[in-house]
Amino acid sequence: MITATAVQPHPLSTLLSRHGLTAAAYLKRVADRHLALGFGAMAHRKEKVTRWTREGVTPEKSALLAIASLHGIDFADVDRYGWPGFLLLALDDDRTVLESPWTAAGTVTALTEVGGPVKDRRGFLIASTATLASALAQWLTAEPALAIGDRGRRVGAEAAALFDVRLDALRHLDDTVGAGQVYDAAVLELRLVADLLKNASYSEATGRRLFASAAEASRLAGWCAYDEGRHAAAERHFVASLRASGSAQDPTLGAVTLAFWANLRYNADDSHGALHLLDGALADRRKISSPRVKAMLHARAARAHSKAGEPLSAWRQVDAAFDAYAKADAPDADLASMYWINHGELHQVAASSALSLGEPRRALENFHAALTHADPYDTDREARGAVIYQVREAEAHLALGDVDAALDLGHQVIHTMGGIDSARTTSTLDELRGQLTGHRHVPAVADFLDYAA
C-alpha cells in the first residue's frame, strides 16, 4: 500500500534551515544582491520573508531575480519554474533518488523528485561504483506495484495506453530534432504519470503499467539530458527509471535503462562501470523478452570493451549482438522502443568499436555495410545518429591519410546537423575539427575549418 506523501516544507524555509540563517539575515543578503543588480534599495523588514513562505504570495520580480542570483540560479529558470519552484534548484541533491527505499512508495518519491527542476551540472556523475552495485542489487528485489483502491479517481489500462502513444511520439521526435525540445516534454509525461501513481486508485495490473510508463518517461528524459551534456541529471533519471521498472516487475524495461545508462558511463570514461551495468542486465538474460534488447546490450558491451582497449572481448560482444538480432521478429512484434535496432545499427556499433581499437580499415568496412545492408541504418529517421557516425567515418579516413574523403563527410555533417539540437553532435563535430587542424595547410581544409567554426 502506498501511503500519502507528507506535506513538504516551503523551499525557502528549507533553505533558511539548511544554511542556519534567520529571516532577517537572509533578507539582508537578498537586499544586498538586489542593490548590486541595480534594482535599488529594498525594505529589510523580516516579515517580508514570512509572507514569501505563504501560499499564493510571490515576491516582486526584482526580488525574485535577486534571490535567484544569490543562489546561482539562471534567471531564465525563474520564469520557467515560477515561485517557489525555482528555489528547488538551490536544494538539488541526489539523496532522495539514490537512498529512498526500493518500494513502490519510494519509487513514487524518486519519480516526483526527478520530475521537478534539476540543476545543470554538466559532465558530473552522481553514481559511484558502490552506487551502481547497490542499484543493480536492489533492482532485482524491488517491491512490485500493489492495487490502490482507497484514494482519488480510479484509472484503468486506457491511461497507461495513452502514455505509451505519447511516449512513442516523443522517441521519434528525439530522433529527428534532438534532445533540447524533447526533454521538457518527457519530464511533463513523467509528472503526469507520477501524479496518477501518487493520487489515483488503480488495480495491481494498471499500477504496473503506470510504473512501466514512468520508467520509459524517465529513461527518455535521462537520454535527452545526456544528449545535452547534463550527466548528473541523466543519471538521476536513469536511477528513477530503474526503480520504476522494478515496481513494474518488467526486467526487459530495466535492461533497456541499464543499456542507456551504460552508454553514458563508457562515454564518460568509465568503461568498467558501464560493463558492470551491462553484466547486471544480462545476468539472467532469459527474463529479457526482446531479442533486440539483448542485441543492444551486447552492442553496448562491445563499445565499452573497445573503449577499454579490450579487442577480444569487444569482438565477442559484436558477434553476440548479431546472434541475438538473428532471433528477432518483425519490429512491430518487438518492444516499441527498439524500432531503431537493426543490422545497420549493429554495423555502426562494430565500426565505432573498430575505430576505438585502432582498426580504421575494419571500421570503414562496417560503416559501408551499415548503409548498404538489406536492413540498413536509416539516416533520414536518425539524423543525429547519422551525424555522429559520419564524423567517426571521417576520422577513419583521416587515420588512413585520406583527407579528401574526410572533408566530403565533414560537409555532409554540416548539412545534416541543420535543425538538430544536440550537445553530442556539436562535440563530435568539434572532435573532427580538432583532428583536421593538423591539415590546415591544405586550402580545402582551411576553408572547411573556417566554415565550420
Side-chain angles (χ1 to χ4, degrees), residues 330-352:
D332 290 347
D334 208 324
L335 201 65
S337 62
M338 291 293 103
Y339 60 90
W340 55 280
I341 293 290
N342 63 1
H343 276 102
E345 174 67 33
L346 297 182
H347 276 296
Q348 297 280 30
V349 170
S352 300

Side-chain angles (χ1 to χ4, degrees), residues 321-377:
F322 280 108
D323 288 344
Y325 184 72
K327 300 178 177 64
D329 204 338
D332 290 347
D334 208 324
L335 201 65
S337 62
M338 291 293 103
Y339 60 90
W340 55 280
I341 293 290
N342 63 1
H343 276 102
E345 174 67 33
L346 297 182
H347 276 296
Q348 297 280 30
V349 170
S352 300
S353 298
L355 188 62
S356 295
L357 292 166
E359 301 181 53
R361 291 192 187 279
R362 194 171 187 176
L364 289 177
E365 290 171 1
N366 278 282
F367 281 129
H368 178 71
L371 301 179
T372 59
H373 194 281
D375 182 24
Y377 184 84

